[in-house]
Every structure is written in C-alpha cells, then in structure tokens.
Amino acid sequence: MIPRYTRPEMASIWEPQTRFKIWFEIEAHAADALAELGTIPKEAAKTVWAKAKDAVFDVARIDEIERETKHDVIAFLTHLAEIVGPEARFVHQGMTSSDVLDTCLNVQLTRAADLLLADLDKVLAALKKRAFEHKMTPTIGRSHGIHAEPVTFGLKLAYAYAEFTRAKERLIAARKEVATCAISGAVGTFAQIDPRVEEHVAKAMGLVPEPISTQVIPRDRHAMYFSTLGVIASSVERIAVEIRHMQRTEVLEAEEFFSEGQKGSSAMPHKRNPVLSENLTGLSRMVRAYVTPALENVVLWHERDISHSSAERMMGPDATVTLDFALVRLAGLIDKLLVYPANMQKNLDRLGGLVHSQRVLLALTQKGASREDSYKLVQRNAMPVWRGEGDFLQLLKKDAEVRKYLSDAELDELFDLGYHLKHVDTIFRRVFGES
C-alpha cells in the first residue's frame, strides 16, 4: 500500500485508528449483550461506551505496550483500560483474541467490498456509454492477433461490460460470504460466553453469526473473497491489454487520452505511450499475487494457528487498495479513450477483402461444391492477396472454377460489410437489456 496507488477512501478502512475503533465497537457491543444477560453490571457497559465511544486511540501508546506484551489485542485492551478505568475489567469477558481480530477483518472486508462495488459501477457506466457510442463502428476482429472477420468497437466494449457485470455479481456473493462474525471464545465452543452475545455483536456490526467457528472464522470464506478480487483484476488486465494492442503505432485504432503538457518519453518527444493500460497490467498482477496465500490460509492446524495472520495483515489492505485504484483508473481510461474509426476502416481494408473469405466458402458449398473443394478454391485466391498480390474479389471473379458456381453479382454481395453486423442489436439486447 503506497501513496502512488492508494485512494484515501479505501486506505482509511485499513488505518490503525479505524481498526482500533472497530475493535472497541466489537468489545462494547459484546459488553452490552453480557450486561443484558446479567454477566456483567449494566453500569459497566454504559461506562465503556461513555468513556471510549469518541476516544481517539493513541496508536503510539498501543505500539509501546505491544513491544512489551508481544500481543496486539492485549496491548489494545490495556490502553482501553487506561481510558475507561476500573470498569474495563468487564471488557472481553469470555472472549478470545480471534473473536475481535476475525470479526474486525470481516467488517473491513465488507466495507472494502462496498467501495469496490461502487468502483465497478463506474467501470460499467463508462463501458456502456462508450459501447453505445460505437455500437456500429466497424473494426476488424482478430484471432491469434491475426485479422479474422469484422466486428464493431461497440461489441468489444460490450464484451467487457458483460464480464464486469459478472464480476459485480461475484463480488456481491463474496461480500455476503465473508460477512460473518465469531464471538465464540477459545476453540469456538462458547464455553465461556453465551452464543447470544455473538448474535448481538453480529447484528450491531452488520454481519451474521458464523455457524461454526473453531476459534477462528473458516478461511475458505476469505479465499473466495480474494480469489474473486483476483478474477476481477484479470478482467481489468484483459481490457487493458486490448487497449495496449489497439494503441500500437501500426494499429492505432484507439488510444489513451493524452493531456496538455503530458510527456511520453524522457528521450523521444514524439512518444504517446499506453502508460495507464500498462500500469493496470502491473496492478492486476499484484492483486492476483494474493490469491495463492489466501488459498493456503485455509489450511490451519487443528482449531487454529496464526500462520494466516501475517499474510492477511498485508493482503487485506494491499489487494483491496490496489484493486480500488485500478478500477477507478480503468473507468477514467475508458471514459476518455480516444477512438479512431477511420483507422479501424483502414485496417479492415488492409487485407484486400480477405475478411470475407468464410462467406465465399459457405456460398460455394451452398451452390454444390464440396467443402474441401470450396476451401481450396478460396484459399488459392486468398494466399496471393496475403502476400500483397492483387485484390481478393477480383481474383475470385477471374477464377474459372469459382465462376462455375458464383456470378460477379453474387460475389459482390458476399463482400457486404453490413452482413457481419446484422446481429449487433441482438447482442446488445442480450448484454444491456431492451433499454
């Protein structure tokens, strides 16, 4: 988590002051429930809230205590006692550190998910706007990086819109899965604390009780959460790489916005590089890097160990902060993307009509030629064009064997670009709905 790739809204979720505030709320809500059950005095619970609700916790003081205790939760509770006074002895009754740590982590992850969902909405809005803008802007589709058949630039953006719609659905599910609370005490048996305390804290913190915890909340939930972030990062990189390819000088069908005063190279003043897209590729790699430790964290010894803890202290902030930054950057990139329809048309025409080869192939088979013979006839006329020797349509018209099956007028009709775009409306309705 470095300032260059950090937005303050997401960073604030992971700041020590926020974490200690959440720890306090968990402990105070638990004290309320314990008071209602008669386990601790009601006045003690009220005092905890009254003296610490608006407290600004002294992070340096907590760190100082932890250097001696070698235990972060004990250090916090010691500092809390300095604020609350004698009634602090009723805090943390029957609880274990994981009750606080795990519940807090899940609060932070759900808050982070809410920000990421808002980011995804921005990406989706930008993609939809530009997709409709270029719904019928023809461009070449490529397979293996080689010209294939015509598509539209709007379809390219619609592909991404559908993908990020799925990303949003997955993140909603991941948020729900990780939004659990555990206040079950040592080894998760509730031996020292009533399950109703957990129910109360869960409701107060916007979570649901973990059905069964083993002192820790099961890490398969977190593995799914971070895996979802990794998949979203891959979707970010997918469209970023597409833009990088389209911005290549030899292609130049689209280009990142280049602002007044921006510089592309310290050595070459003419350069306009796809730096934002390349940056998104790098950031996506970092988000995905946390998927493997999240999966490995599922495997803990018996009822608990802390082999997951050190990894989570890094991956929680880093993965969410990085993806947050990447999604907002992507939304801006798409919104301001420069699109060059004339270059798209030029590239479409570059292979002298070869993009219509499949239509000719199918027409020949429909006129009675075998598929094998049809393929040979089309390919033998296509290969010279591939080498820059002639025009595909004209070569077909001069081929006596082709003329046995297709007239000049029929061949001309097979080279109609609009034929390839006749179902764009149908695809758009599938992606965006009737609106």
Side-chain angles (χ1 to χ4, degrees), residues 122-123 126 257 276 326-337:
K122 292 173 186 172
V123 172
F257 177 75
L276 300 180
L327 288 171
V328 172
R329 170 155 286 184
L330 177 62
L333 192 163
I334 297 298
D335 188 58
K336 293 184 175 181
L337 188 69

Side-chain angles (χ1 to χ4, degrees), residues 82-97:
E82 294 172 343
I83 297 171
V84 172
E87 288 84 356
R89 69 185 186 277
F90 296 111
V91 173
H92 205 69
Q93 291 277 315
M95 295 170 61
T96 188
S97 299

Side-chain angles (χ1 to χ4, degrees), residues 42 100 102 109 113 145 178-179 223 240 253 256 275 307 357 369 388 399 402 431:
K42 289 186 178 181
V100 179
D102 282 13
L109 291 176
V178 83
E253 295 174 349
E256 292 178 6
V275 292
S307 59
S357 69
D399 190 309
V402 172
V431 174

Side-chain angles (χ1 to χ4, degrees), residues 7-14 111-113 115-116 119 320-321 324:
R7 297 198 322 131
E9 297 90 339
M10 184 65 84
S12 66
I13 292 174
W14 302 100
R111 292 179 183 178
L115 287 182
L116 293 172
D119 296 342
T320 56
V321 165
D324 171 58

